[in-house]
Amino acid sequence: DPADVELVKSFFAERQDRSSQTDSALFGKYKDSNVIVVQGEAFMNFMIGQSIGGQEITPHFNELMKESQYYSHFYHQTGQGRTSDADFGANISLHPLPIGSAFVRYADHAYDSLPSILKENGYSTNVFHAYESGFWNRYTMYQNMKYDKFYSKNDFVQDDPLGWSLSDFSFFRQSVEKMDSEIPEPFYSFLITLSSHHPYALPVDKQQLDVGEFQGTMFGNYLQSVHYVDSALGSLVEDLKNRGLWDNTIFMFYGDHDNSIKEQAQYEKFLGRSLNQLDMEQIMNEVPLLVHLPDGGEAGTFDEPAGQLDITPSVLHLLGVSDQSYYHMGNDVYDGSNRTVVLRNGAFTDGSVFYIPSDDYIYEHGSCYDLSSRDKTDINVCRAGHDEASKRLRVSDTIITYDLITRLREGL
Ligand code: GP9
């Protein structure tokens, strides 16, 4: 549809016209640093900072927060492609598709992926995931994304089997060994964890958390496995420090998607309060993002909304690579601009309102919440934001489906 192509062209003409981006003091401050991004399986935000029976669920994450940037309203923007969608959003900065996984459906289309851009800037680019390389069509997609190498199940010694594959402890240890011994710096390493995969059953000898009244429930098992991954995260950071890699590395950790546990009563019991529709929408869509900068600088909690699509533009900002000529749709969290975050289901937030669509997707049947009162407000308050959100999803779907990036660059 020519109208859709025009929409794409005008969206990017506007986006590529941003001049403020390079003005910030952080632009290029960490040029040539290594970048390690860890995507945590089903790692959600609601249990960050929480305890059960006096025991912290995520003590290592909480400790790391003290010297990191913590984005407290960071959204996953995934659809049916789940883990592959999170990867797509974070490393390609376009919205995952409304149906299926872009990794599976359009692995041969052109993208301005983070590894391809970093490769052009002299980086070694590697991706690590200790599972079958063909799952989610990763093997093919990662070649297109221009990773030097995909370290998959066969590249890891199966010295600590757990769940679908190898434990995250061993996965992290072996991945860091490879970074330290065989990968030239500066490097971009993208790691995808697996131990906290649904249905979250962890062998008894690895259970370190007393989940009390949640014992024997999937929710309890979830807390248990997240606690386990948190402790693997702690050992990863120690390892990077011991090997002298921590101080010249931008380290990011974020969750890929929700845990598929939808019983509101469990969250209410865990958090000790009743929850409304807005609370539940945020709980199911917020994953944490932690950014540790090489000097431990800029630490604090950032409450403005952000999302997975923002990872690529923001990493590029820190490294001093302008993303203005790239076909990215995420926000740069460091350029000071106002941020609208659009979820795949058509929900959006701009930090002052939160729109939740209804099942029939008729705008007026959805709910518009005022984030300061956390109550529903007049539906019209969200209308302009909703129109913008729908436009963005349409722009993204058009670019991906019709493989437009190369043609746009050639002046389509
Ligand atoms: C498998 C893993 C899980 O390789 O990434 O994917 P998911 O089932 O969570 O989408």
Side-chain angles (χ1 to χ4, degrees):
D1 182 346
D4 283 343
V5 175
E6 284 313 308
L7 201 64
V8 170
K9 283 166 99 171
S10 68
F11 179 87
F12 282 101
E14 210 174 295
R15 193 178 192 280
Q16 289 166 351
D17 197 29
R18 291 165 302 152
S19 50
S20 62
Q21 192 194 29
T22 50
D23 294 347
S24 114
L26 279 180
F27 188 81
K29 184 164 179 202
Y30 302 99
K31 188 172 164 35
D32 294 333
S33 300
N34 299 319
V35 179
I36 299 178
V37 177
V38 180
Q39 178 174 291
E41 174 63 31
F43 206 98
M44 294 166 76
N45 194 44
F46 74 92
M47 45 39 174
I48 297 299
Q50 300 285 343
S51 296
I52 189 156
Q55 210 182 341
E56 287 175 85
I57 316 276
T58 58
H60 297 93
F61 187 102
N62 301 345
E63 190 57 33
L64 209 49
M65 268 168 70
K66 295 178 188 158
E67 49 179 74
S68 304
Q69 302 180 332
Y70 165 58
Y71 290 80
S72 60
H73 294 290
F74 181 79
Y75 293 88
H76 78 77
Q77 292 166 293
T78 65
Q80 295 172 346
R82 301 295 280 166
T83 297
S84 70
D85 277 359
D87 189 341
F88 185 87
N91 283 294
I92 286 177
S93 196
L94 293 175
H95 287 276
L97 297 170
I99 295 167
S101 157
F103 267 43
V104 174
R105 294 180 62 194
Y106 301 121
D108 57 340
H109 288 190
Y111 302 107
D112 288 334
S113 75
L114 180 59
S116 69
I117 296 165
L118 294 185
K119 208 172 152 55
E120 282 165 16
N121 282 273
Y123 275 69
S124 316
T125 58
N126 295 275
V127 52
F128 305 77
H129 179 57
Y131 194 56
E132 310 296 344
S133 64
F135 199 83
W136 283 127
N137 202 27
R138 285 184 175 109
Y139 181 77
T140 305
M141 186 64 177
Y142 287 159
Q143 284 180 320
N144 186 20
M145 289 167 77
K146 303 285 186 296
Y147 282 108
D148 293 333
K149 186 168 163 67
F150 172 21
Y151 292 92
S152 65
K153 188 167 186 176
N154 292 341
D155 298 293
F156 291 85
V157 181
Q158 300 300 311
D159 56 3
D160 187 20
L162 178 62
W164 286 21
S165 175
L166 184 63
S167 76
D168 286 350
F169 266 92
S170 177
F171 165 64
F172 283 151
R173 182 173 36 75
Q174 295 186 54
S175 300
V176 172
E177 260 164 35
K178 293 175 199 304
M179 288 177 224
D180 199 13
S181 62
E182 51 193 77
I183 296 173
E185 297 184 60
F187 56 70
Y188 170 52
S189 293
F190 182 62
L191 283 72
I192 304 161
T193 73
L194 192 55
S195 292
S196 50
H197 198 278
H198 190 273
Y200 316 112
L202 209 60
V204 181
D205 64 327
K206 289 193 158 57
Q207 298 184 9
Q208 300 288 326
L209 189 69
D210 179 358
V211 296
E213 58 183 326
F214 295 102
Q215 186 65 39
T217 66
M218 190 186 282
F219 190 88
N221 291 346
Y222 173 70
L223 296 178
Q224 190 72 259
S225 70
V226 158
H227 185 70
Y228 174 80
V229 176
D230 175 76
S231 127
L233 170 67
S235 77
L236 167 65
V237 173
E238 271 314 296
D239 203 6
L240 290 169
K241 286 182 180 167
N242 292 338
R243 290 172 184 269
L245 287 169
W246 185 245
D247 292 334
N248 57 351
T249 295
I250 296 170
F251 179 86
M252 296 192 179
F253 180 94
Y254 68 90
D256 63 355
H257 52 65
D258 64 87
N259 57 11
S260 307
I261 302 174
K262 299 198 168 75
E263 293 102 327
Q264 183 165 335
Q266 298 280 44
Y267 297 92
E268 293 187 333
K269 204 197 282 184
F270 175 73
L271 295 169
R273 60 190 168 94
S274 63
L275 302 169
N276 68 9
Q277 182 196 23
L278 173 62
D279 297 324
M280 274 312 282
E281 184 76 6
Q282 288 186 305
I283 286 173
M284 297 312 283
N285 288 288
E286 286 183 1
V287 289
L289 167 67
L290 201 69
V291 182
H292 184 272
L293 298 174
D295 52 4
E298 312 293 323
T301 295
F302 297 82
D303 297 326
E304 299 80 14
Q308 287 167 341
L309 270 68
D310 306 353
I311 299 268
T312 284
S314 307
V315 167
L316 292 177
H317 186 118
L318 296 170
L319 299 180
V321 179
S322 167
D323 94 323
Q324 280 168 256
S325 67
Y326 296 120
Y327 290 88
H328 295 152
M329 296 193 71
N331 304 302
D332 172 349
V333 299
Y334 301 115
D335 73 359
S337 58
N338 288 336
R339 302 208 281 268
T340 292
V341 177
V342 181
L343 309 191
R344 184 61 257 190
N345 66 358
F348 80 90
T349 180
D350 59 3
S352 60
V353 295
F354 198 118
Y355 175 75
I356 305 173
S358 62
D359 291 340
D360 63 11
Y361 286 100
I362 295 172
Y363 173 71
E364 287 77 10
H365 296 175
S367 308
C368 181
Y369 282 88
D370 177 330
L371 281 173
S372 46
S373 67
R374 299 193 66 79
D375 288 330
K376 265 193 207 182
T377 184
D378 184 342
I379 190 73
N380 288 310
V381 174
C382 285
R383 195 178 288 271
H386 166 266
D387 291 348
E388 172 66 20
S390 312
K391 181 175 95 180
R392 289 195 197 184
L393 291 170
R394 195 159 145 202
V395 164
S396 186
D397 295 346
T398 304
I399 289 201
I400 297 167
T401 311
Y402 297 101
D403 195 12
L404 290 185
I405 293 184
T406 313
R407 285 155 66 198
L408 285 165
R409 207 162 260 139
E410 285 164 357
L412 168 78

